[in-house]
């Protein structure tokens, strides 16, 4: 079981809403919408994706990492977590 399993439906629902936002962005470009309006919506979609990512990181720490530490295998999971945080932070 993964850290997000209990919230899987919520995550899927949020990702579907984000998918709709991205389709809306495509439509805005197609319809020659003003640049600032597109950038505003792009920022909203980006923030929504980051929120999903933070939720996944939270679940990973509270479930997967904690479980590994309790089983004496924490070092490997912590390294994996740090790499994931680095990727998420854009480093």
């Amino acid at each position: 079981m993964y850290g997000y399993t209990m919230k899987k439906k919520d995550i899927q629902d949020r990702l579907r809403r984000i998918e709709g936002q991205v389709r809306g962005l495509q439509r805005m470009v197609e319809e020659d919408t003003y640049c600032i309006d597109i950038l505003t919506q792009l920022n909203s979609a980006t923030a929504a994706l980051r929120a999903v990512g933070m939720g996944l990181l939270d679940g990973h720490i509270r479930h997967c990492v904690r479980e590994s530490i309790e089983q004496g295998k924490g070092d490997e999971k912590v390294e994996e977590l740090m790499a994931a945080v680095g990727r998420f932070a854009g480093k």
Side-chain angles (χ1 to χ4, degrees):
M1 186 161 102
Y2 294 110
Y4 64 85
T5 301
M6 299 299 287
K7 297 180 180 183
K8 188 173 182 176
K9 184 179 180 335
D10 291 338
I11 292 169
Q12 289 174 317
D13 290 345
R14 291 179 83 179
L15 289 171
R16 284 187 192 98
R17 282 194 298 275
I18 294 166
E19 182 181 22
Q21 286 179 294
V22 172
R23 281 195 303 273
L25 282 162
Q26 291 172 329
R27 198 168 31 257
M28 291 173 82
V29 171
E30 186 176 302
E31 295 171 358
D32 295 321
T33 303
Y34 183 56
C35 304
I36 297 301
D37 294 338
I38 295 171
L39 288 168
T40 299
Q41 290 305 313
L42 183 64
N43 187 52
S44 294
T46 301
L49 280 169
R50 285 204 155 295
V52 170
M54 288 302 294
L56 287 169
L57 279 171
D58 181 74
H60 181 66
I61 293 165
R62 293 178 190 278
H63 178 75
C64 302
V65 174
R66 178 188 288 161
E67 187 176 275
S68 290
I69 290 169
E70 289 170 353
Q71 294 174 357
K73 302 175 188 174
D75 290 343
E76 183 178 321
K77 274 297 184 211
V78 169
E79 289 301 317
E80 178 185 70
L81 172 63
M82 293 309 296
V85 169
R87 286 191 304 274
F88 192 69
K91 295 182 179 183

